[in-house]
Amino acid sequence: MKTRVKISIRNLTKSFGSNQVLKGLDLDIMEGESVVVIGGSGTGKSVLVKCILGLLAPDSGEILIDGRDMTTASRAEHGEFMKKVGMLFQGGALFDSLTVWENVAFGLIRAHGMNKDEAHGIAIKKLARVGLGEDVSGLTPAELSGGMKKRVALARAIAAEPEIIFFDEPTTGLDPIMADVINRLITECVKELGATTLTITHDMSSVRKIADQAAMLHDGRIIWHGSRRAMDTTKNPFVRQFTTGSAKGPIKMITRGPE
Amino acid sequence: MELLSLIGRYFIAGLAEIGRLVIFTKEVVSHLVRPPFYFSMVGRQILTIGYFSLPVVGLTAIFTGAALAQQIFVGTGRFNAEAAVAGITVISIVRELGPVLAGLMVAGRVSSAIAAEIGTMQVSEQIDALVTLSTHPHKYLVVPRLIAAVLTLPLLVIVANIIGVFGGFLVGTQKLGFNASNYLQVTVDFLEASDIHSSLVKAAVFGFIIALLGCYHGFKSRGGAEGVGAATTNAVVSAFILILLANLIITVNVFGS
């Protein structure tokens, strides 16, 4: 059992105008561990991931990756961090001006300086790993179905064999069977790479399949953090309400209409 | 008081917008001179910005040049100076109409296309994806477009100038009764090197404006299809206004004499 802390987030805050989204968030992720952050829509799950990736600048707090604070890192240090990272975006975020294999090979060529032929070979291998044949590699993303796009995006995220992978709502918009296929692929690929992963989702079936640890984000903080097993037995009313999917409970959804 | 606060709010918002554009420009220009460079991207952009704009620029130039010769004929006819038609036409086209019309037409075609493309990439998280693949979006998307636009606009304007003068020549010789060799001789005699310098400098500046505003509004777009639509409109409108403003400044201050 590995015990080194890979990602450590301390007292992270982020506001948009007067709307404070993250209000002092703390989270530790051990090396090789799969942590899933659950929480309702609009609770700031995506903001958390974007802060870690440096796509958004946090207002305050620390984000330690391998012990180094990324909020104060230089451009070069941040560049090195990005080479160790893979990210699967919610909508896939495939480059629609490029073909499927060029998408998968993009990071290999741009960030890792690989030549085109070598990168093409790896792209084909990674596509095969997610169950896509060579015939797909020359298509453009517009010609793919939703499930295939997710697979290509997964192949792109794992292409450079990253140490850390982020998954943003990996199963949203997929039918339950395809969602299960993607969940399986994620667990298998992550295990093969031995990567540390952070997933954000509100799909409970996804949580049960890919999480080692689950954490609940509510009102800008992590209010509960425990093993997947503990998630189903905890007495925490917030977690219980979320995992059972009930409208009744301490979490109040903001709805419009008469009071 | 309502009115004053409204004016104030618009004024501050306007200043903030200018500030954001200046910061964006500074950031992009700094990427112009730092490696890595994506040369293959520049080639593709030269094709889309330059080559594919040729038909629309050519048609605009020939129609305008032809109409202009006719108008100048009418104008000069009021004080019996019809002999100057060829000279005034060439100066009007090279110094003013060639660069401005080519700039506006390309802005309509290219600023909008750039804003829509980058805007769509922004709202579909492709820009974020670039960052996670260790590629700076400004370097990868903006710099090649800027270089391509600054290089190709002068070439397009040269073509527009030639076709515009040719349009005037057609009307002058076919309808207004000028002698062809005489018309060309007057055209060449009237044209000075500074006219052409002015034309090319304007073209390069307009090219920079066209690509910059397309990219700026693309990166700024938020919130799906509606946001991309707004970005496209804003890119074209602001590019038009800045081109006309830059034209005024260059004409009056640099090539005024």
Side-chain angles (χ1 to χ4, degrees), chain B residues 151-187:
Chain B
L151 289 180
T152 51
L153 250 281
L155 297 175
L156 278 173
V157 165
I158 290 173
V159 173
N161 289 343
I162 293 169
I163 295 179
V165 169
F166 178 67
F169 172 81
L170 279 184
V171 167
T173 56
Q174 303 302 313
K175 180 165 179 283
L176 307 176
F178 284 94
N179 171 283
S181 71
N182 194 25
Y183 189 97
L184 287 180
Q185 192 59 49
V186 174
T187 299

Side-chain angles (χ1 to χ4, degrees), chain A residues 50 53 55 75 79 82-83 85 87 89-91 93-98 103 106-107 110-111 156 168, chain B residues 27 30-31 34 38 40-41 44 117 120-121 124-136 140:
Chain A
K50 287 189 174 174
L53 284 168
L55 296 169
R75 206 187 267 252
M82 290 314 257
K83 286 187 188 174
V85 168
M87 165 97 191
F89 287 89
Q90 189 176 347
L94 298 173
F95 306 126
D96 35 35
S97 57
L98 303 178
N103 264 284
F106 194 92
R110 306 277 169 200
R156 184 174 72 180
D168 183 0
Chain B
E27 160 93 14
S30 84
H31 279 289
R34 273 185 293 142
Y38 300 119
S40 63
M41 299 291 289
R44 192 191 297 184
E117 186 180 356
T120 307
M121 292 184 76
S124 63
E125 294 187 307
Q126 291 178 52
I127 303 284
D128 289 343
L130 276 178
V131 178
T132 68
L133 296 166
S134 304
T135 305
H136 200 293
Y140 183 73

Side-chain angles (χ1 to χ4, degrees), chain A residues 160-183:
Chain A
E161 314 208 328
E163 294 172 22
I164 304 170
I165 313 177
F166 298 93
F167 297 102
D168 183 0
E169 311 267 359
T171 55
T172 299
L174 299 177
D175 66 71
I177 299 165
M178 185 51 79
D180 191 53
V181 171
I182 295 291
N183 284 333

Side-chain angles (χ1 to χ4, degrees), chain A residues 100-101 103-106 108 114 118-134 137 148 150-162 165 185 188-190 192-193:
Chain A
V100 164
W101 83 262
N103 264 284
V104 178
F106 194 92
L108 299 173
M114 205 175 273
E118 202 181 339
H120 180 259
I122 293 180
I124 297 293
K125 247 181 248 161
K126 295 291 173 188
L127 284 168
R129 182 65 197 85
V130 297
L132 293 174
E134 229 182 313
S137 68
M148 283 161 100
K150 275 275 155 79
R151 289 181 196 230
V152 176
L154 177 61
R156 184 174 72 180
I158 62 171
E161 314 208 328
I165 313 177
L185 279 174
E188 286 167 16
C189 292
V190 168
E192 283 164 25
L193 293 172

